[in-house]
């Protein structure tokens, strides 16, 4: 079964100016597509051939893991967005953030620190940990917290390809702006 690049749930210019159409053209159109193409070349004739993407992420390592996890991570990341200011942080996710981090401001500060201090390429994640609490974790390269039994709720891609066209080396500006396009309704759906 060949994997396909999932369609984006918005127009390429919908996330302007936080993420430009040019960034999506490369990040989604080229990088995300390449992980799909690579996985489709790697799995025929292997035990992964008929697995779901999530199963492959959980059971693989090395090149198969890197490409499968990057497909999963990017799909999850791109599906977290909606046009700027169309969504408000509310509902169950807001209650859990306040319960587990004290306030929305403290949560965002901790998440931003995780995203900004991650050395090299990787992902900052908001997860439900094995104790059922929200937790912020860093993962390098293609890392995915499902491998550690945690449930992903939100992620920020801090590979340079995620922000270099729009922000050059200013990762902090990208991470700060990231909050303006989060689809909180989608995030709330992930809690159930
Ligand atoms: Mn990326």
């Amino acid at each position: 079964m060949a994997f396909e690049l999932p369609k984006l749930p918005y127009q390429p210019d919908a996330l302007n100016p936080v993420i430009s159409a040019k960034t999506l053209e490369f990040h989604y159109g080229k990088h995300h597509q390449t992980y799909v193409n690579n996985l489709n070349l790697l799995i025929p004739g292997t035990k992964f051939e008929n697995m779901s993407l999530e199963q492959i992420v959980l059971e693989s390592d090395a090149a198969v893991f890197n490409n499968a996890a990057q497909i999963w991570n990017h799909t999850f990341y791109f599906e977290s967005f909606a046009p700027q200011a169309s969504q408000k942080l509310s509902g169950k996710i807001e209650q859990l953030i306040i319960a587990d981090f004290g306030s929305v401001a403290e949560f965002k500060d901790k998440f931003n620190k995780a995203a900004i201090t991650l050395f090299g390429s990787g992902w900052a994640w908001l997860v439900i940990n094995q104790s059922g609490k929200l937790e912020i974790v860093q993962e390098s390269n293609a890392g995915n917290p499902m491998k550690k039994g945690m449930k992903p709720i939100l992620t920020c891609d801090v590979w340079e390809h995620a922000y270099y066209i729009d922000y050059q080396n200013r990762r902090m500006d990208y991470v700060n702006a990231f909050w303006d396009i989060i689809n909180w309704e989608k995030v709330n759906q992930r809690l159930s």
Side-chain angles (χ1 to χ4, degrees):
M1 179 186 74
F3 289 100
E4 287 180 13
L5 185 68
K7 294 265 178 291
L8 290 177
Y10 39 76
Q11 294 300 309
D13 60 354
L15 306 180
N16 257 327
V18 177
I19 294 176
S20 68
K22 193 75 180 167
T23 288
L24 283 179
E25 181 187 334
F26 281 86
H27 194 192
Y28 167 75
K30 308 239 182 258
H31 290 276
H32 198 181
Q33 179 72 63
T34 298
Y35 298 124
V36 173
N37 296 345
N38 287 345
L39 189 66
N40 286 333
L41 289 172
L42 285 166
I43 60 174
T46 72
K47 66 173 181 175
F48 304 111
E49 191 168 15
N50 295 308
M51 287 185 187
S52 69
L53 186 62
E54 186 171 330
Q55 264 182 301
I56 298 175
V57 170
L58 292 173
E59 296 183 27
S60 63
D61 57 18
V64 172
F65 171 77
N66 286 336
N67 286 285
Q70 285 293 78
I71 299 171
W72 197 101
N73 296 355
H74 281 91
T75 300
F76 191 82
Y77 168 81
F78 287 125
E79 287 181 348
S80 301
F81 300 136
Q84 197 165 6
S86 65
Q87 301 285 339
K88 294 270 179 288
L89 175 48
S90 62
K92 191 172 176 197
I93 187 66
E94 184 182 29
Q95 293 164 18
L96 292 181
I97 284 171
I98 291 167
D100 293 339
F101 296 100
S103 70
V104 171
E106 281 178 76
F107 156 68
K108 285 186 178 175
D109 190 50
K110 272 192 182 159
F111 190 97
N112 287 357
K113 280 204 178 88
I116 291 160
T117 63
L118 197 155
F119 185 77
S121 295
W123 303 78
W125 296 86
L126 175 66
V127 300
I128 303 280
N129 65 22
Q130 288 176 317
S131 309
K133 300 269 192 210
L134 287 175
E135 185 179 335
I136 293 161
V137 294
Q138 295 175 319
E139 294 280 355
S140 291
N141 301 316
N144 183 302
M146 291 193 298
K147 286 283 230 197
K148 298 166 185 160
M150 299 185 275
K151 179 181 168 69
I153 301 298
L154 181 67
T155 192
C156 184
D157 184 347
V158 295
W159 285 57
E160 283 185 345
H161 68 216
Y163 59 88
Y164 222 82
I165 290 171
D166 296 328
Y167 301 89
Q168 293 78 51
N169 62 318
R170 291 173 284 112
R171 186 191 288 187
M172 190 184 294
D173 291 350
Y174 156 69
V175 171
N176 283 324
F178 162 85
W179 299 107
D180 293 341
I181 52 169
I182 301 300
N183 182 343
W184 291 107
E185 188 184 333
K186 182 80 188 173
V187 175
N188 265 308
Q189 288 165 9
R190 291 171 177 164
L191 291 169
S192 54

